Amino acid sequence: MPLFQSFKQQLVQKGPTLARLPVKWVPFPVQRSVMELALNQLLKESASEGELDFLTDRWVALKVRDIKGCWMLTFADGKLKVFPRAQGADVSFSGNLNDFLVMVGRREDPDTLFFQRRLSIEGDTQLGLEVKNLLDNIDYDELPQPVHHLLTVLSGWVVEQNIELAHSV
């Protein structure tokens, strides 16, 4: 196996374990700042057009199982706000890091991940559908080019790894 191919395979397999460290050790206020900055930049146009108003006084939990991360999101004062894990989410999305990566990288459709039981949605299904539709309409080309490129490359590696695993079974 070529060295670079081995590197990609190891990164896909061990990336979630490595990502668990910042979730565990980076203080929540830093996580919040980074997430809010990224989400509000990405959804700036949607927020200004009122497309996030449906999240006002509603709570969405984002749970990334393999890195043991959980964040609560809501929309208030014209911005998405991130809070630490709490009870009372109206809808909860759960999955593994690589599955979220291929979804955000547009390599897998959320519906496909859901029907393959790789993405779990619990709670208010109408709200979950609205969040899914919002994610489907995001123009990821609006991300800074290095971030967009990184998402594209990493999600491609995850898909390659999944294909290799499927062929080896």
Side-chain angles (χ1 to χ4, degrees):
M1 177 181 294
L3 184 61
F4 187 65
Q5 188 65 24
S6 177
F7 168 75
K8 291 189 319 186
Q9 181 181 28
Q10 292 297 314
L11 186 62
V12 169
Q13 290 175 353
K14 296 187 177 166
T17 301
L18 296 172
R20 192 178 301 150
L21 295 174
V23 170
K24 182 177 180 181
W25 296 106
V26 173
F28 181 78
V30 175
Q31 293 179 34
R32 174 191 313 215
S33 294
V34 170
M35 290 179 75
E36 285 181 356
L37 179 68
L39 289 169
N40 285 303
Q41 180 63 36
L42 184 61
L43 296 166
K44 185 181 197 176
E45 188 176 320
S46 297
S48 68
E49 293 176 1
E51 295 174 12
L52 300 180
D53 291 349
F54 72 95
L55 288 172
T56 301
D57 297 325
R58 305 300 304 271
W59 291 93
V60 177
L62 175 63
K63 299 176 184 178
V64 187
R65 292 186 293 252
D66 54 351
I67 67 170
K68 296 181 172 62
C70 181
W71 301 270
M72 300 287 285
L73 296 99
T74 192
F75 188 69
D77 302 322
K79 294 187 183 279
L80 277 170
K81 307 282 185 170
V82 178
F83 292 88
R85 171 181 239 151
Q87 302 296 10
D90 294 296
V91 68
S92 177
F93 292 86
S94 302
N96 288 328
L97 181 62
N98 286 338
D99 293 324
F100 281 114
L101 186 60
V102 295
M103 183 176 66
V104 172
R106 303 281 176 145
R107 304 289 180 147
E108 291 276 0
D109 180 77
D111 292 330
T112 301
L113 294 171
F114 176 77
F115 288 115
Q116 292 175 347
R117 298 185 185 265
R118 292 165 49 197
L119 177 64
S120 166
I121 304 169
E122 298 174 3
D124 183 335
T125 54
Q126 179 63 35
L127 179 61
L129 184 59
E130 289 180 81
V131 171
K132 182 196 97 54
N133 290 338
L134 175 70
L135 293 174
D136 284 343
N137 292 324
I138 290 175
D139 184 4
Y140 290 100
D141 291 333
E142 294 297 316
L143 287 169
Q145 187 57 36
V147 174
H148 183 268
H149 181 72
L150 183 64
L151 281 172
T152 301
V153 168
L154 290 177
S155 63
W157 290 358
V158 172
V159 170
E160 285 177 27
Q161 180 68 30
N162 289 343
I163 291 170
E164 287 178 23
L165 288 173
H167 289 308
S168 67
V169 174

